[in-house]
Amino acid sequence: MQIKNVMVVGAGQMGSGIAQVFAQAEFNVILHDLKAEIVDKGMGYITKNMNRQVEKERMTREEADAVLARLTPSTDLNNASDVDLVVEAVVENIDIKSKLFSHLDEITPEHAILATNTSSLPITEIAAATNRAGKVIGMHFMNPVPVMKLVEIIRGLATTGETYEAIEQTTKALDKVPVEVKDFPGFVSNRVLMPMINEAIYTVFEGVAEPEAIDEVMKLGMNHPMGPLTLADFIGLDTCLYIMETLHEGFGDDKYRPCPLLRKYVKAGWLGKKTGKGFYEYN
Ligand code: CAA
């Protein structure tokens, strides 16, 4: 199946990054969100990234403009009536995603694949909200999307081989590396990453070391590009808590219990970089 026209639903940090990499790979992209100001902000982020590529002489002005010209902002979901693929990157809420997928199922052409960028919600459950479960799949990009090579591709229970292959090919066309995983809570990335972050938060909670020291240990000792607490701030502490809760509930195993300090920070509104305060302060 030839994928050419793509809609990205959700113009936040992840959605904008996803739209950017599709446009760079010469797909026609509609960047959709509910509010025009969110779409404008997403387009602004992509424009800034393109300008930086030109400044660094990695792209000519003409090439950057061609990427931007392949992007169409949208606040009307009916614009999905002519796409081959939708990649959803909205808030991590199963009810919102299920409603959206049910709506997309009505609007999009019969052949269209519906992919979700969910970081931990069940693909099988999202697919069940549609009449095309075979064409629903997880396409989990990493943050920052323009930089990170991995896309976790998650097969729901009913996802067909044809859908999987189309998404695998598309991922390679984006110059990313697809890795196939099955539909279990947290998939692979967050099942391994989040308990490590949660454990780093426990070491703060128990007074074992200061956040700076914990991050230094993991950066210098394990060669991680960012310490786990800096990474948690970067991902968003609300997202980290949400994923830990999904793991805890999904497996029913207390080894995934979220650290009380993580809950406390989220309740305080200390969500990390996006709110200016988490384990560190940001201007
Ligand atoms: N958008 C676009 N480009 C970005 C960017 C962003 N938000 N942040 C950094 N970059 C680019 C920079 O422009 C720079 O590009 P050039 O080489 O072209 O100049 C490059 O990335 C490196 O940036 P820096 O030199 O400023 O900083 P760095 O070397 O520390 O790299 C980093 C930054 C790539 C983010 C690096 O720190 C890193 O790899 N951190 C870990 C990221 C990670 O683990 N991501 C996964 C999060 S988990 C997830 O996403 C899944 C989930 O479900 C929660």
Side-chain angles (χ1 to χ4, degrees):
M1 181 194 156
Q2 183 69 16
I3 292 174
K4 194 70 204 134
N5 299 320
V6 180
M7 176 184 267
V8 178
V9 182
Q13 199 179 11
M14 293 301 286
S16 315
I18 294 168
Q20 177 186 324
V21 295
F22 270 100
Q24 278 179 267
E26 303 198 352
F27 291 84
N28 300 317
V29 187
I30 300 168
L31 180 59
H32 174 89
D33 211 308
L34 292 173
K35 290 189 184 152
E37 56 263 37
I38 301 173
V39 182
D40 289 348
K41 201 171 160 200
M43 293 294 290
Y45 166 82
I46 301 171
T47 306
K48 203 171 122 199
N49 282 345
M50 288 299 104
N51 291 345
R52 200 167 52 220
Q53 297 298 320
V54 175
E55 277 159 29
K56 294 199 163 178
E57 297 182 352
R58 293 197 182 121
M59 232 182 221
T60 64
R61 184 70 261 167
E62 291 69 30
E63 284 165 341
D65 288 343
V67 171
L68 294 171
R70 283 193 283 274
L71 284 152
T72 308
S74 156
T75 51
D76 181 358
L77 200 63
N78 290 315
N79 290 325
S81 62
D82 194 25
V83 299
D84 309 307
L85 168 67
V86 176
V87 183
E88 166 275 316
V90 306
V91 61
E92 291 285 81
N93 176 306
I94 190 73
D95 294 334
I96 292 175
K97 286 195 200 277
S98 296
K99 276 196 194 107
L100 176 64
F101 271 70
S102 163
H103 196 177
L104 285 167
D105 189 32
E106 288 165 17
I107 300 170
T108 52
E110 213 173 300
H111 73 274
I113 294 176
L114 306 181
T116 170
N117 178 54
T118 182
S119 54
S120 59
L121 290 172
I123 310 304
T124 306
E125 194 175 337
I126 296 171
T130 72
N131 291 312
R132 64 174 93 189
K135 290 194 166 72
V136 177
I137 194 161
M139 206 178 178
H140 183 210
F141 291 81
M142 302 294 126
N143 189 16
V145 180
V147 182
M148 307 299 281
K149 279 283 181 194
L150 174 70
V151 181
E152 253 187 322
I153 305 195
I154 308 110
R155 283 182 191 261
L157 205 54
T159 308
T160 65
E162 200 189 342
T163 300
Y164 181 83
E165 278 148 31
I167 292 304
E168 185 181 45
Q169 283 309 314
T170 302
T171 302
K172 288 180 183 165
L174 300 177
D175 198 25
K176 304 267 182 215
V177 179
V179 175
E180 179 182 354
V181 309
K182 300 216 173 70
D183 188 18
F184 282 93
F187 316 131
V188 172
S189 56
N190 280 318
R191 183 163 173 183
V192 176
L193 174 68
M194 281 304 157
M196 182 195 70
I197 287 178
N198 196 45
E199 206 55 35
I201 300 171
Y202 264 110
T203 55
V204 180
F205 181 58
E206 292 169 6
V208 178
E210 293 298 318
E212 290 82 356
I214 295 160
D215 278 351
E216 207 69 343
V217 166
M218 298 307 286
K219 275 200 301 183
L220 301 182
M222 283 74 190
N223 236 0
H224 289 194
M226 278 177 170
L229 299 167
T230 305
L231 183 57
D233 274 0
F234 172 76
I235 293 168
L237 300 186
D238 51 343
T239 304
C240 295
L241 177 58
Y242 189 79
I243 295 170
M244 283 311 296
E245 281 171 337
T246 304
L247 291 170
H248 196 198
E249 196 191 310
F251 290 111
D253 187 333
D254 270 354
K255 77 176 174 183
Y256 299 112
R257 76 224 176 284
C259 178
L261 189 64
L262 175 60
R263 287 192 192 284
K264 195 181 247 184
Y265 275 31
V266 171
K267 283 208 174 108
W270 296 1
L271 306 184
K273 209 170 168 194
K274 64 186 169 190
T275 58
K277 184 161 174 56
F279 289 98
Y280 300 96
E281 297 207 359
Y282 305 86
N283 295 319

